[in-house]
Structures are given as structure tokens and as C-alpha cells.
Amino acid sequence: MKISITLVALFILSTVSAAAQESMGGGGSTRRNTGPTNVPSLGVIVITVSGSVLKVDAERKAIQVRDKRNDKEVGVLLDAKCKIKCDEKQFGKKELKLEEIEKGFLVEMLVRRDDMHVTEMKVKKPKESGVEK
């Protein structure tokens, strides 16, 4: 009889102790705060990548660029709504299609950080070095 009372008392103490730890934040990692927070949302984070075009894959809507900041190759996909803007004086129009971009062109891209998709791109032709090719 004393053993069963002791076991019941231990069981009650362990459940009360576990409940107290959880309510104080000391137990379970599954607890989530679902209430309002005072932390402002950063929204969509966009980074800028600038450099020269190495390769264009129009079929997969992808472009590979050598980043001018760190001299590394960066491959990204174009978002379905991506606008490719260009200088009207250089190209004779204000927007290009991906197929019209050539190796060596200079680009500045806005890349959405969460999925690494290009949302906007500006294209320029490289400056002529004065040497005939």
C-alpha cells in the first residue's frame, strides 16, 4: 500500500514539474509563440549582383555571371515576371529578351534572396577597347 501511494505521489510530482518547466520556458522546443510580435517584417530581401555575362540558358531561363565584387561565378534563374531593361541608344529598344543577351554583356540584377531568382535586370554592352576584332 505504501509503495503504491509513493508511486502515485512521484507520478503527480513529475507531471507537475514538467508542466511548470514548460510554462516557464525551460522545457519543450515545440512551443511556438503565435501572438503578435513587435519585430517589424523585413519583407522580401533583394541583393544586387553586377558583372559580365558568361553564359545564357534561355531554355531554362537561367544566366551565369562573373560577379565584379568578388570575381566569382554566379548562376541564377529569372523570375517569370522579370523585366530585362536596356539602354535604348545601345540596343534600339528599351527591353530585351533573354535570348538576345550575349556573352560579355554587362548586367546589373536584382536577385530575390529567398529563392535566388532575378526580379529585374539591366543590360549594357561592354565598352569598346578601340581594337578591331
Side-chain angles (χ1 to χ4, degrees):
M1 178 83 168
K2 288 183 180 182
I3 294 175
S4 61
I5 292 173
T6 306
L7 289 175
V8 170
L10 283 173
F11 175 75
I12 291 172
L13 281 173
S14 66
T15 55
V16 170
S17 174
Q21 281 183 352
E22 192 170 321
S23 68
M24 296 298 286
S29 61
T30 59
R31 187 170 177 198
R32 294 184 182 156
N33 184 4
T34 57
T37 63
N38 293 332
V39 178
S41 172
L42 296 177
V44 177
I45 298 174
V46 179
I47 58 174
T48 303
V49 176
S50 299
S52 61
V53 175
L54 298 174
K55 194 185 299 184
V56 174
D57 186 346
E59 200 172 296
R60 291 180 22 205
K61 296 197 68 122
I63 189 166
Q64 188 175 21
V65 175
R66 179 164 309 278
D67 191 344
K68 72 178 183 181
R69 286 181 293 185
N70 57 17
D71 200 38
K72 290 187 178 180
E73 294 180 8
V74 177
V76 289
L77 296 172
L78 273 68
D79 187 77
K81 297 179 183 179
C82 178
K83 301 261 187 206
I84 303 174
K85 300 177 182 181
C86 61
D87 185 8
E88 192 172 3
K89 291 178 184 176
Q90 287 184 332
F91 293 94
K93 53 186 171 180
K94 292 183 180 181
E95 287 189 19
L96 293 175
K97 294 179 182 174
L98 185 60
E99 299 84 21
E100 297 173 300
I101 298 175
E102 298 175 8
K103 181 179 178 179
F105 281 5
L106 304 174
V107 294
E108 184 175 308
M109 304 179 291
L110 294 180
V111 181
R112 196 171 41 233
R113 182 85 185 239
D114 62 346
D115 61 1
M116 294 302 286
H117 283 176
V118 179
T119 58
E120 186 177 313
M121 183 186 313
K122 294 178 185 174
V123 181
K124 293 182 182 179
K125 289 184 179 177
K127 293 181 181 178
E128 295 294 326
S129 62
V131 179
E132 297 277 332
K133 292 183 181 181

